[in-house]
Amino acid sequence: MQSSRNKPCSCPSLKLREVASMYFTLVAAFLVILVVALQGSVPRQSDFPYKVPLDPQGLLELSWNVSYPEQAVNFQLLIKELHFGLLFGMSDRGEFENADLAVLWSDGHNSYFGDAWSDAKGQLHMDSQQDYQLLGARRAPEGLYLLFRRAFSTCDPKDYLIEDGTVHLIYGILEKPVHSLQAINVSALHGGLQRVQLLKPNISIPQLPRDMQTMEITAPDVVIPSQETTYWCYMAELPEGFPKHHIIMYEPVVTAGNEALVHHMEVFQCAADFDSFPHYNGPCDSKMKPERLNYCRHVLAAWAMGAQAFYYPEEAGLAFGGPGSSRYLRLEIHYHNPLVFKGRRDSSGIRLYYTATLRPYDAGIMELGLVYTPVMAIPPGEDSFILTGYCTDKCTQLALPSAGIRIFASQLHTHLAGRKVVTVLARHGRERQVVNADSHYSPHFQVQGLQGARLDGDELITTCTYNTEDRSRATVGGFGILEEMCVNYVHYYPQTQLELCKSAVDPGYLHRYFNLVNRFNDEEVCMCPQVSVPQQFYSIPWNTFNRDVLRSLYGFAPISVHCNKSSAVRFPVGTASLPELPCTIPTLPPWPPYTTACARSSPEKSSWKCPGPDWMGLEQLGQWKVSLPTEPTA
């Protein structure tokens, strides 16, 4: 085994002994000690194209690259002020409990590195399967570089599965020497978390044309209202006679200092049915807002916190301008101001990159998921409550061309209670493909997925998982940050008139639910005509029965389908009669695909039977006879 030159490397407050390229054990076979001092130049930044600061002070800087052939992530961690070591790793929501960790620590004399995990109490344990592989350490004027790697999937139940979507990275700095791994008290560490998308899409950025131009649609010097949630509307217009162009890229323009307040932004194009639209710059819910602005619904660009620049594929661009296209645009900014700052000024918006050289296809954006309605609600105190929205085949067969459409990107979106989001494509009652999934979703870091899909008269099913353990009353669907959404913005081509393909439970069946709650609970739910649906939800006593019945309602009741054009006119689907809830048999293998390497045996065939129309015995609700069905299992 070959070793490097025998030359020591000095680090602040930490002694790293002479280099060795082998691991040796201490304290049985579980404690792995690596003593490294590799010489050489600092790695080229081009070797690690992705970079984020881990801590607010910038003392820890992470760079990485992804090797899809090897199914591994290579990390480069720059430690600018190293004391007695650090913890770095991943966990479900950014907590130090039940975490997967790489640990570097010193007892004041020797340095140790190992793959560890923490239990539910935060106690550290050395992992019997060492999957964080330390590749080397390099000293530079700016600090110490640690190079290590981890496979996406290790088949170790103590290890974090690195998936597409959001990854919560955690770090902790050791400021005192420790004699063993078990002596580290994670609760006393100076640490934190950073959200990243480790597995970047394995695509190349298209070359931008030479005739590319830019246009900024930004709100002019808005004074952000001193309230938690504000939707701000600003009207802009294209120049007179602006010909048809293709948008080929867009990116956010966020006023410095307001990064935590600008939650998401959208640019809408207005309907061409009107010759003009009034200028407006104010809250979207103001009584002073002109009614005509409600006809500005065609999405040109959609950005949410955590997303980066968006590129269209070389064969498609988003059309705007020209005959049959309105000159008027509406910018909508969602400000989230939980600390109720006063007087904060903002000029955020979206920068469009466009070209006059038209591409073969016009692209479009379609909204999937749940309608923004309070009939979809989550009880308080839930650790994992699921809501599902359907884009049914009745809608896609009617609204899409016979050749279908090509989905090339999507962006998942919920508010603060969202924990997981997935959209799957189903055909003939069977799941066929994952369009986008984020098993560790965070509303504070919303990344764009680039899983391609061909849609041809199929169903798109979007499922959101919520956590309301910190809430004392029901969370209803709506626009407010403490209300909830379940949305997937899918980008596709060629463009169609279908702008929105969503669903919600039939309000009439929800009314039956409130009747049922009144019948079987001592506390009465007010059902007066003047009482809103949110108020009825707020008055429910959330015992086990009421929770389970609501969960069953959302699982089996008929749905109201919204299959809308950009003008808000519906395609004739689900208006005359309510369709039954689509029955889809789960047939997809484990996701992501590389987890199948860990399978020890082939999965059994699903025995799930599609539920009959008599969910919960609703046909007998007039006699108040209820039989709760068994939940379907895959």
Side-chain angles (χ1 to χ4, degrees), residues 514-574:
F514 291 138
N515 275 326
L516 183 66
V517 170
N518 265 334
R519 180 75 173 184
F520 286 90
N521 290 272
D522 295 333
E523 301 177 47
E524 184 175 350
V525 178
C526 182
M527 300 181 60
C528 310
Q530 67 271 21
V531 175
S532 65
V533 169
Q535 289 301 323
Q536 293 181 69
F537 271 120
Y538 299 155
S539 65
I540 290 178
W542 289 106
N543 53 43
T544 302
F545 175 81
N546 293 341
R547 294 171 186 272
D548 289 346
V549 174
L550 183 65
R551 186 178 285 108
S552 232
L553 171 77
Y554 291 143
F556 299 107
I559 56 173
S560 174
V561 176
H562 291 240
C563 184
N564 294 9
K565 302 179 182 180
S566 58
S567 61
V569 174
R570 291 192 190 184
F571 286 94
V573 177

Side-chain angles (χ1 to χ4, degrees), residues 128 144 150 159 179 239 252 308 345 348 371 484 517 580 591:
S128 58
L144 177 71
R150 241 294 307 273
D159 285 351
H179 296 289
Q308 302 299 318
R345 293 185 175 275
S348 297
V371 182
E484 267 308 331
V517 170
E580 296 294 336
W591 178 262

